[in-house]
Amino acid sequence: MRRSGTTSAPVGLHRHDHVCWIHQGGRSWTEPMIRFFREGAVAGQRLLYVADKAETELADDLAPLSSRDAMLGSGQLKLLPLAKLYGSVDDFTADEQIAMFKELTATAVRAGFGCLRVAAEATSLFVGVDAEHAARRFVGYEVGIDRVMATEPMLSMCGYDRRLVSAAAASALCLVHPLRHGARIGSACGVFAEEDGSWSVTGEIDLVSRDSFETALSVLSELPGDRDITLRLEGLTFIDVAGVRALAELSARLAPRRLILHDPPTPLRRILRLWWQDLPGLEVAD
């Protein structure tokens, strides 16, 4: 299983790690990002920095990186303005961006690097647009890219400025990252991909995390493919009745595919047995 939970430092990371880094702008983003890249440089990984800036400004952010110029010259370090990768929210297509990251990863491996290490500051995608609309679309993207990150040789640190992103959006974004920085935001629950194609649900699903959990489930139901969806629930410590209802609704949306719940906690088993035992397509497995 992938590592999950909260983290206070952007180091000690490995391929398949996917970190949501909630920050307050300025050095609260650039300093952790530099530490994140220093670790990758030592490990011989390709580094990709993405933010809503011109390439010269991206390079300026990386000035404290002692080997910046040498890595730019060798191709170990790449700079990519946000607009070139994502475009605007109105033009944003998750499938295209996911395909692009898969190709960037494959290109890094072909060039002899162990994996692709990405630092992406994407706050501006939420500025000046309907917050709920933007969050919904970008949560869908993060779910899709997390599925890729669970299997491909890559890792990512995704930055979001808490001053510009609403609490609801920050919570939803944290929830769909296995690792997250900012313990007070979205850390009660997590939904993330596993290498075998299943999904893990961890933590507590309650009044605070329920909306974000429902958003993540709705995204799962819309992912391309005709396979059943398996949720691994051994890390789930609490779920309220509304959260259980969200699982039942997901099962109904998936038909004729199945929703398979692995190792649900005893209270969840009881609620399902009492209220939704006859729901078609819902299967409980050990």
Side-chain angles (χ1 to χ4, degrees):
M1 294 182 66
R2 296 168 74 194
R3 295 191 306 155
S4 63
T6 59
T7 180
S8 60
V11 293
L13 302 174
H14 308 281
R15 64 175 64 192
H16 310 312
D17 283 341
H18 190 193
V19 184
C20 186
W21 196 270
I22 303 297
H23 60 86
Q24 298 291 329
R27 293 172 61 183
S28 69
W29 162 250
T30 57
E31 289 184 355
M33 180 265 296
I34 290 294
R35 295 179 64 193
F36 175 73
F37 274 158
R38 280 179 180 149
E39 182 176 67
V42 171
Q45 300 166 351
R46 171 162 281 174
L47 315 179
L48 173 63
Y49 181 33
V50 182
D52 189 19
K53 298 179 179 181
E55 286 193 28
T56 54
E57 295 175 297
L58 295 173
D60 289 343
D61 283 352
L62 296 172
L65 199 59
S66 59
S67 53
R68 179 198 64 179
D69 294 342
M71 289 192 295
L72 284 170
S74 68
Q76 184 177 4
L77 174 61
K78 298 289 187 179
L79 309 176
L80 191 59
L82 190 73
K84 287 188 178 181
L85 179 61
Y86 296 116
S88 68
V89 170
D90 290 337
D91 298 329
F92 180 82
T93 303
D95 290 345
E96 292 181 2
Q97 311 312 320
I98 291 169
M100 185 179 297
F101 267 118
K102 291 181 72 171
E103 178 56 31
L104 288 168
T105 303
T107 300
V109 172
R110 287 196 297 268
F113 298 101
C115 70
L116 178 67
R117 177 177 290 237
V118 182
E121 213 300 321
T123 303
S124 62
L125 292 175
F126 293 89
V127 178
V129 296
D130 177 79
E132 183 177 351
H133 170 70
R136 176 72 172 74
R137 293 185 70 176
F138 216 67
V139 165
Y141 162 73
E142 290 286 10
V143 167
I145 197 65
D146 190 62
R147 182 165 62 171
V148 172
M149 208 164 298
T151 57
E152 298 290 334
M154 65 181 298
L155 66 156
S156 178
M157 176 181 175
C158 304
Y160 296 99
D161 190 334
R162 180 62 185 85
R163 302 170 303 170
L164 301 174
V165 175
S166 71
S171 178
L173 289 164
C174 280
L175 182 136
V176 292
H177 288 74
L179 295 168
R180 70 294 304 246
H181 169 75
R184 297 191 187 94
I185 302 174
S187 60
C189 177
V191 178
F192 52 89
E194 295 291 355
E195 189 173 354
D196 63 359
S198 64
W199 298 84
S200 284
V201 181
T202 62
E204 300 180 359
I205 301 168
D206 53 19
L207 184 61
V208 175
S209 58
R210 187 188 309 141
D211 287 347
S212 299
F213 178 65
E214 291 176 353
T215 297
L217 291 187
S218 67
V219 168
L220 289 185
S221 69
E222 297 168 5
L223 290 174
D226 56 2
R227 295 189 305 173
D228 299 334
I229 289 182
T230 298
L231 298 183
R232 299 195 173 278
L233 305 179
E234 56 263 41
L236 182 64
T237 56
F238 174 81
I239 184 169
D240 61 13
V241 173
V244 181
R245 185 181 298 113
L247 290 174
E249 292 170 353
L250 172 61
S251 174
R253 288 196 300 271
L254 287 176
R257 293 182 291 162
R258 296 177 300 162
L259 174 63
I260 303 171
L261 307 181
H262 265 273
D263 297 315
T266 299
L268 174 55
R269 290 177 182 270
R270 291 171 179 166
I271 295 173
L272 290 173
R273 191 161 52 242
L274 285 171
W275 291 351
W276 285 293
Q277 62 177 341
D278 297 324
L279 189 66
L282 181 62
E283 180 177 318
V284 177
D286 291 320

